[in-house]
Amino acid sequence: MFYREAGEFKTTYAKDQQTFPIALDRWGYFITLALAFLAVPFFINDYWANAVVLPFLIYVIAALGLNILTGYCGQVSLGTGGFMAVGAYASYKLMTAFPDLNIVFVILLSGGITALVGMLFGLPSLRIKGFYLAVATLAAQFFLVWLFNKVPWFYNYSASGQISAPERTLFGQAVTGANAVPAISYLFCLVFVVVLAWAARNLTRGANGRKWMAIRDMDIAAEIIGVNPLKTKLTAFGVSSFYIGVSGALLFAVYLGAAEVGEAFGINKSFLVLFMIIIGGLGSIFGSFAGAAFMVLMPVLLKNIMVGQFGFPTDIAAHFEFVIVGGLIVVFLIVEPHGLAMLWRIAKEKLRLWPFPH
Amino acid sequence: MNTQSYVTADGRTIGPAVMEMKNITLRFGGVVAIKDISFDIRQGEIRAIIGPNGAGKSSMLNVMNGFYHPQEGEVMFHGTKRRAMRPHQIAHQGIARTFQNIALFKGMSTLDNIMTGRLTHMKSGLLRQMVWWGASERDEVKNREVVEKIIDFLEIQAIRKTPVGRLPYGLQKRVELARALAAEPKLLLLDEPMAGMNVEEKEDMSRFILDVNDEFGTTIALIEHDMGVVMDIADRVVVMDYGKKIGDGTPEEVRTNQNVIDAYLGVAHD
Amino acid sequence: MLDTTEPTETLLEVNNIEVIYNHVILVLKGVSLSVPKGGITALLGGNGAGKTTTLKAISNLLHSERGEVTKGSISYRNAPVADLNPSALVKKGVIQVMEGRHCFEHLTIEENLMTGAYTRGAGRGEIAKDLEMVYEYFPRLRERRKSQAGYTSGGEQQMCAIGRALMSRPETVLLDEPSMGLAPQLVEEIFGIVKDLNEREGVSFLLAEQNTNVALRFAHYGYILESGRVVMDGPADELRENPDVKEFYLGMSDDGRKSFRDVRSYRRRKRWLS
Amino acid sequence: DLVFPSLSYRTGPYAANGIPFADGYEDYFTLVNARDGGIGGVPARVVKCETGYNTEKGVECYESTKGEGALVYQPLSTGITYQLIPKATADGIPVHSMGYGRTSAANGKVFSNIFNYPANYWNGASLAVNHILDENGGDIKGKKIALLYHNSAYGKEPIRTLEELAKKHGYDLSLLAVDHPGQEQKSQWLQIRREKPDYVLMWGWGVMNQVAIQEAANIRFPMDNFIGVWWSGSEVDVVPAGEGANGYKALAMHAVGDDFPVFDDLRKYVVDAGTAAGAGDQLGTVLYNRGMYAAMLAVEAAKTAQALHGVAEINPAQMRDGMEALEMTEAKMAALGMPGFGPEFTVTCENHGGPGLGAVQQWNATDKTWSLISDYGPSDMEVIGKLIMEDSSAFAAENNISESCN
Amino acid sequence: MSAGFYFGVEVFLNGLMAGVMYSLVALGFVLIFKASGIFNYAQGVMALFAALTLVGFQSGQIPFAHLINAVFGTELHHFGWKMPTILALIFTLMVMILFAFLVEKFILKHLVNQEPIILFMATIGLAYFMEGFGDLMWGSEIKKLDIGIPQGGNFWLEEKTATLGGDGFYGFYLDNLDIWATVCAIILVASLVVFSQYTKTGRALRAVADDHQAALSVGISLRAIWVIVWSIAGFVALIAGIMWGSKSGVQFSLSLIALKALPVLMLGGFTSIPGAIIGGLIIGVGEKMFEFLIGAPFLGGATENWFAYMLALLFLVFRPQGLFGEKIIERV
Ligand SMILES: Nc1ncnc2c1ncn2[C@@H]1O[C@H](COP(=O)(O)OP(=O)(O)OP(=O)(O)O)[C@@H](O)[C@H]1O
Ligand SMILES: Nc1ncnc2c1ncn2[C@@H]1O[C@H](COP(=O)(O)OP(=O)(O)OP(=O)(O)O)[C@@H](O)[C@H]1O
Ligand SMILES: [Mg+2]
Ligand SMILES: [Mg+2]
C-alpha cells in the first residue's frame, strides 16, 4: 500500500474541506509548486518557453474558464475563441491607450471586460439549453471575430488589422514585446495560473460551485431548491469569461506578441479549449491542467517523434498527427469518458486497494 | 376555514392553515390534470395526498411550489394570496420538496447534494468565496454543521463522500429527503418518498418523517401509495381521482368513504 | 398452476456470478439462482442488494453501465447467454422491464408499445391484436395512447413499460420492481396480469420486488438477496412463514401488523453500508 | 552548412497552395547542393517544419528551427510574419516575406530584419490599377472598380492604396468582403452582377479563389476584366472552373512556365535523382516557380553575404547584411539559367521592399497555361511610399524604435 | 415595379437556393441526431470524404499513393483508368456504408449510454481523424468534381424575365446547380420523412435517440440502427459533397460547410427533417437579404456568417427547441 487514505482523520470540518485532504497529495502539490517557481525558471529556454510552457500555462487558464462554464455549470460553449479575442483586443487597446498602466492591471481589466461581454452573450442561456446553446454561442464567436475585424478602432486603424503588443515591464523586467526573457514571461504567466487556479478551486468547492453543479445536473430541480437559474448561469458566464479573457490577453500580449483575430481566435480555438476540458475531465480543476498539457504537448511530441526520429516527410507527419490526435480523443473517451482526471482518480483507488483488490 | 389550533392524540399542536389551495384548475393542452380542487394544510400536520396513478397528485405538488401555474384558482400562503413567482423565490419562502423520479444532482457527492439544500441560507459573495479564507470558510463550516446534524439524523454518515449516482435507489431517496431537510423548510412536500422500499426501509422512513414533524415542527404534505403508511402517519388525507377531489378527512374517514374505496383502494384496507 | 413438487425444466440458470462496476465496485459476490419454466420466481432484498444488477447481468445490459460479469455463468435453455447481445436475447424470448420505467419520452404511448414488437416479424394484423390485448390489460393506456410518454404520469409510464414488454410475446419476463409507484389497486391488477399470463400463456417471470408482501403472495419460489449474496431461498409459502422474513420483510410482529407510528427506535442494520 | 528553414503548410485549408511553393523552395536548395556543391562551397540544409498555416505552430516551428542556425525565414503566412517581426528582430535573424506580410516593413530603417522585396501588396494594388490604366489609354475616370477581398488582414491590405489611387485617378471603388473560408459568395456576385463594375480585383486565398472564379464564370463576367493578386493566380485556382476561367488575369512578380534552363537542371539533378520534394510534376507551375524564386533570392543573398564578409559559413546577421545588399541583375539571372525570370532590383537599407515591379499574367483554359502578357512594370511609388512611411513610423512610435540605418 | 424590387426578388430567390444547399448538410446532422442523440460534428468531413472518394474513383487515383511513395520510394499515382460516374457513385456509396460499419464498431458501440457531450466530442475526434485520413488517402490538392450536373446561370429563366424591371434589370439569375440541389433536397426530405415517421425502423430509430438502455431492453439492436442511420447520413453527405464540391472543387475547406449548416439546424430543430429544409430556407433568405439590405450597404459586408447565427439565436429565444424540434420535456 503505497498510497493511503486510511489512518487520516479529520477533526474539524474545515480540515475535511481542504483541497488535498491526503497528506501525500498535499506534499506532491507543494513540491510541484516549488519546482515550478524555483527550479524551472533556471532551465527554461526560448524553445521550451514558446513552444510548450507558455501556451500550456495560458491554455490552462482558458481551460479553467471553460471548465467553470461547461464542466461545472453545464453550459456548453463554443464561443471561447471569440471571448479570448475580447481579452486580447481589450488588452491591446488598454496598452496603447494608457501606456503607463501596469501590465497586471491591463490583463485583469481585459478579463473584466470579457466578463461583461460574456455575461451579455450568456443571457439567452436562460431559455436555450444543451446543444442549442452550444450552437448559439457560435453566434458570439462569429460576431466578435467579425467585429474586431471590421471596426478599425479596435486595431488602431493599422493598415493590415494586425495588432502587436508593445513592450511592457514589471519590476523593470520586460514581460511583453520582443525583449521579454522567457523565464520572466514564464513566471508572469505562472503567477496568474496559480492564483486563478486557486480561486477557481475555491469558487467551485463552495456555495457557488454547488449552485453551478446543481444547474448542470438538473436545472429544474435546482430552481425548485432555490437556485436562481439566471443569476447562477450569468455568474458562470461572467467568471468563465473573465478567465478566458485573461488567457486571451496573455496569449496575445505575452505569447504571440501579434495577432490577427480570424486566425488566432477562430473557431478552432474554441474547439481546442473544449477538447482540453473534455480530455482532461469536465468539472475538474486538475483536469484543466491535464487536458491543456495533453493538447499542447501531444502535437509537439508527435511531430518530434515522427519527423525528428523517423524522418517522415512533414506533410505525411502532419496528416498522421490529425489521424492520431483524432484517434486518441476517441480512444480516451471510450476508455474513460470523464477524462484524465477520472483516470487518475481510478488509478489512485486501485493503488489504494493494491495489492488486495476488493 | 380552519383557524383553531388543536392538540393531537400524541401531543402535537396543529395550528391554523399554512397553505390553502383554492379552486385550483390546471390544464395541459387538452388534458385537465386538476379540476377545481380546494384544500388546506395546517401548521404542524402531516397531510397526505393519495389517489390512483395519473390523478394529478404530483401536479398538485408542482402547483404548490410554483413549478406549474394553474389556469384558475389561487394559492394562499400564510393567509395571503401568493403572487406569481418563480420556483426559486418560493423556495426562499421556506418550501422544500422531494421528487417522484429522483432528482438528485448526479455529479455530486452525497454531502454536496445535501449542502445544496443550504443554499438558501448561504450568503457569502463571489469575491469572498474566491478568497475562501475568512468569511466564506466560516459560512461553509457553519452550514456544514447543520448538514452533519441531518446526516446523523438520517444515518447516512458512511456515504458522505460517495457520488449519489452510485447509491442504490432507497438511499438516494433518503439523500433527497436530507437535501430537503437541510433547507430547514416550514413546509416540506414529499412525492412518494417510500416508493421502491421494503417494509423495513419504509419503517425507517416513516420514523424520519414523524421525527422531522415532531422535532422541528415542520409541516409535511406527502404523496404515498402505501396505504399502511398513510393510514398510520397522516393526520389528514386528501383523495384525488382524475383531477377531482373525492375525499378529504382523517385517515379513518377516508378509509370508509365509499367513493375512495371504489376509485382507489379497491378493497377496504386493514 | 405450477406444481412445485414435480421437477420441471429449468429455463434460466444463474451460476455463482460476480459483477463489478467501473472495474472497482464489486456488487454481486456470487449469486446463483434458477428460474423454472412456467414459474414465477421472486428476487427479494433491500435497497442496493443487487437485484437490478442481477437482472441486468442476465439480459446483458450491464455493458452500457460499465459493469461486467467477472465470474460465474448464466445460461438460458442450457445455452450460455454471455455472448448474446440483448436483442438476440429478446428474440429468444427473454425481455426485461427496467426499473424506473424508461419509456421513450418523445414517442407516443402507442409508438412505445409498438417498439416492443420490434424483434418480431409479425404482420400488422397480429400486432394490432396484441396492441388490443395490452389495452385490455391497461385501459388507462388506451386513453393516453396519443400523448407523448414523457408527459404521462409515473404510473402510466410503468404500465407502458410493462405493456411494451408484453408486445414482444416473451417466454420469460424479467420484471424489475413492477409495483414501484403504483396505486395499490393497480399493483394488485398488475400482479393479477402477471399471474394470468403465467397461467394462461405459460410465461415465466423473474421479478425483483421490494413489496415482499405482494411478491410472495403471487410467486412460487423466492430468493432473498442481501449485499450481493443470496442469503435465503425457498418456496414462497415457506418463506412467508419464516420468522425473519416476517419480521424484516413483511413488517409483521408476533401480534399482527405493526403500525408505522410505533416503530420508535431506529434499527442499526445497515446492510447496504457493509 | 547553411541552414534554410522551410515553414511549409502541406495540410489544412490552404494545403493546395502551400505544397507547390514548399516543393519549389526545397528543390532549389537541393539543386544548388547537387549542381554547385552548395553555396560558396558550403552545402545548404533545408529544415522543414509544418505550420498548417497556423500561427501558433508557426511560432513553434520558429523556435525549434532557429537553434539550428537558421539564416532566413520565409514564413509563408502573413499571420506568422507578424509574429516573427519582433521575435526575429530580437534574435537578429532576417525574415523574407516575399509578396506578403507587413507591407510597411519595406522601410528598413524601422524594420531592420524584415525584407519584402521584390514587391508587396500595395505595389500589387497599384500594378493592377496601372494595368487597367494601360488598357484604357490612361484614363479611367468614372470607371467602376470592385475589390473582392478575403475578410482578413491580408485581404484588407490593398484597400488604403486603392482608395488613394481612386482619389488620384478618379475611379469609383467598391469593396466586397468575403468571410473565411469563402465557399458561399452568392451575395457578392449578385451584387457584382447588379452593379456591373468595369473591373473586379481580387485579394483571395484558398477556396475563395476557386469559388470566385467559378461564380464569375457563372454570371458571365468578362474574365479579362477580372484581375487577382499573385496569391489568386495559380493553376489550382482556375482549373476547377474549367473553360469558364479562360482569360482570367492575375498579377505576377516572376515568370511562369518551365521554359528556362534552370528547369532542365532541376529535372536532371533533382527530379531524376529522386530527391525532389514533391512528385516532380509541378515544375513550371506558378506557385512552384514562386517557391523556387524565393529560394534563389535567398541563395543569392547568401552569396552576397559571403562576398561581403569574406566568410563561407555565414551567420544570420551576416545573412541580413547580404539581403540588404542584394542586387538582382539580368546578367546574374541569366547566369543562373533564369533569364528574365524576375524583375531587376537592388535592396538598400532604406528600402527593403525593392522597386515594386510586377507584371500581369493571363490564363488560357484550353492549353491550361498561364502566360505573362506584360513586362515588369513599375508601381506608383509616389503614393505607396507615403503610405509606407506613415505606417512604419506609427509602428516605430508604438514600439519605441528609433529609425536608423547602420 | 422598379429594378430595385426585382433585384430584391432575385436575392430572395438566391437566398432560398443557398438555403437548400445548407439544408443538404443539415439533413445529415438531423438524421444522426434523431437516431442516436449524437450531434455529429463530423458530418462536414463526411461530405468532404465522400466527395474525395468519388473523385478518386472517377479519376482512377491510387489510394494512399503519397504515403506508399514516401515509404517505398515508388512513383505511383494513377491506375490509369477512368471510371464511369455511375459506377463511381455506387462504389463511393459502398465506401460510406463500410464507414458506417466501422464507426459503429470502433466508436459508437463503446459509447452506449454516455452523455451527449461525450458523444459530441467523439465525433469531433472522428472529424479530425477523417480529415487526416482523407488527406493521406487521396492527397490534399484541389480536385475538380464533375458528374455532369450543369452549372452556371439558367439562361432560359434569365431571358424570360429580362424585360421585367426595365433597363436596369437583366433577368433573374439562378444557378443551374442550385436548381438541381433543390430537386435533390426535396426528394431526400420527402423520403426521409416517410422513413422515419411511418416505418418500423424509423420508429426504432427515434426510440434509440430517447433512451439507449431501454431500446436495448426491448431488443432493438443499436448496432443495426446505427449502421443504417450512418449509412443514410453517408449518402446524404455524398450528395452534399457533390453539390458543394462541384462549386468549389473538392478540397479540405469542404469540411467547413458544417459550420453553415449549424444555424440551419438550430433554427429548424435538431430533430426535424422538414425543419432542416425550412430552417435552411429561412437562414438562406435571411442572411442574403440582410447582406443585401443592411450588411453590404451599411456594415461593410461579410455579415452572413454571424447573421445566420444571430437569426437562429433570435428564433431560439422564442422557441428553445427550434421551429420544428420536439418540445424539450421539462418535468419533475
Ligand atoms: N452504474 C453503477 N456504477 C457503480 N455502482 C453501481 C452502479 N449501479 C449500481 N451500483 C451499485 O450496485 C449495488 C447494487 O445495486 P442494484 O441497483 O443492483 O440494487 P437493487 O437491489 O436493485 O436495489 P433497489 O431496490 O434500490 O433498486 C448498489 O450498491 C449500487 O450502489
Ligand atoms: N407537463 C405536462 N404536460 C402534459 N401533461 C401532463 C404534464 N404533467 C402532468 N401531465 C398529465 O397530468 C396527469 C396527472 O399527472 P401527475 O403526474 O400529477 O399524476 P400523479 O397523480 O402524480 O400520478 P402517479 O401516481 O402515477 O405519479 C397525467 O395524466 C399526466 O399525463
Ligand atoms: Mg406522481
Ligand atoms: Mg433495483
Side-chain angles (χ1 to χ4, degrees), chain B residues 166 169, chain C residues 21 27 47-53 65 99 177 210:
Chain B
R166 284 192 198 167
Y169 192 82
Chain C
Y21 279 112
V27 171
N47 285 130
K51 305 181 294 295
T52 303
T53 307
E65 295 215 29
E99 176 181 47
E177 309 233 6
Q210 293 272 16

Side-chain angles (χ1 to χ4, degrees), chain B residues 10 12 31 46 51-54 100-101 153 155 157-159 166 168-171 174 192 195-204 206-208 210-211 214 225-229 232-235 242 261-266 269-270, chain C residues 22 24-25 45-49 99-101 140 143-144 147 153-157 159 177 180-186 210-213 247-252 257-273:
Chain B
D10 52 352
R12 293 172 305 131
V31 183
I46 298 180
N53 296 110
Q100 181 170 10
N101 294 319
F153 177 67
E155 303 175 5
Q157 298 90 334
I159 54 162
R166 284 192 198 167
Y169 192 82
L171 273 186
R174 201 182 293 195
E192 306 199 13
M197 295 192 174
N198 66 15
V199 175
E200 182 195 1
E201 290 151 355
K202 280 180 182 169
E203 284 172 0
D204 285 355
S206 307
R207 212 38 274 146
F208 295 137
L210 287 170
D211 282 355
D214 221 16
H225 282 302
D226 186 323
M227 288 324 292
V229 175
D232 287 351
I233 70 172
D235 293 307
Y242 279 84
I261 294 173
D262 291 345
Y264 183 56
L265 300 175
H269 248 257
D270 56 343
Chain C
N22 265 336
V24 279
I25 308 165
N47 285 130
E99 176 181 47
R101 289 137 204 169
R140 178 85 188 154
E143 287 168 37
R144 310 281 285 139
S147 43
S153 84
E156 289 159 350
Q157 291 184 12
M159 296 184 231
E177 309 233 6
M180 190 199 297
L182 293 192
Q185 211 179 12
L186 209 62
Q210 293 272 16
N211 192 336
T212 318
N213 204 335
E247 159 99 31
F248 296 139
Y249 291 94
L250 297 174
M252 313 273 268
R257 199 184 76 84
K258 303 177 292 225
S259 166
F260 284 95
R261 218 171 244 291
D262 297 338
V263 204
R264 270 295 164 194
S265 63
Y266 302 135
R267 294 155 191 249
R268 311 262 164 200
R269 285 175 296 138
K270 285 156 284 178
R271 297 183 305 270
W272 52 83
L273 302 178

Side-chain angles (χ1 to χ4, degrees), chain D residues 10 12-13 16 19 151 177 179-180 183-184 186-187 190 193-194 196 207 210-211 214 218-220 240, chain E residues 7 10 14 22 142 144 151-152 155 158 170-171 173 175 178 247-248 251-254 288 292 302 304:
Chain D
R10 297 164 178 276
I19 293 170
N151 196 12
D179 246 345
H180 174 83
Q183 236 134 10
E184 240 297 312
K186 271 264 133 61
S187 299
L190 283 178
R193 185 170 174 274
R194 254 191 329 264
K196 294 205 159 183
V207 71
Q210 290 102 50
V211 174
Q214 178 76 59
N218 284 354
I219 68 161
R220 290 179 291 170
Chain E
F7 280 129
E10 181 184 62
N14 274 281
Y22 303 153
I142 302 177
K144 184 170 169 54
Q151 269 207 57
F155 302 140
E158 198 167 340
Y170 348 102
Y173 171 82
D175 193 336
D178 289 348
K247 225 167 133 156
S248 59
Q251 55 179 307
F252 184 92
S253 303
L254 205 58
K288 294 281 177 295
F292 173 62
E304 290 174 39

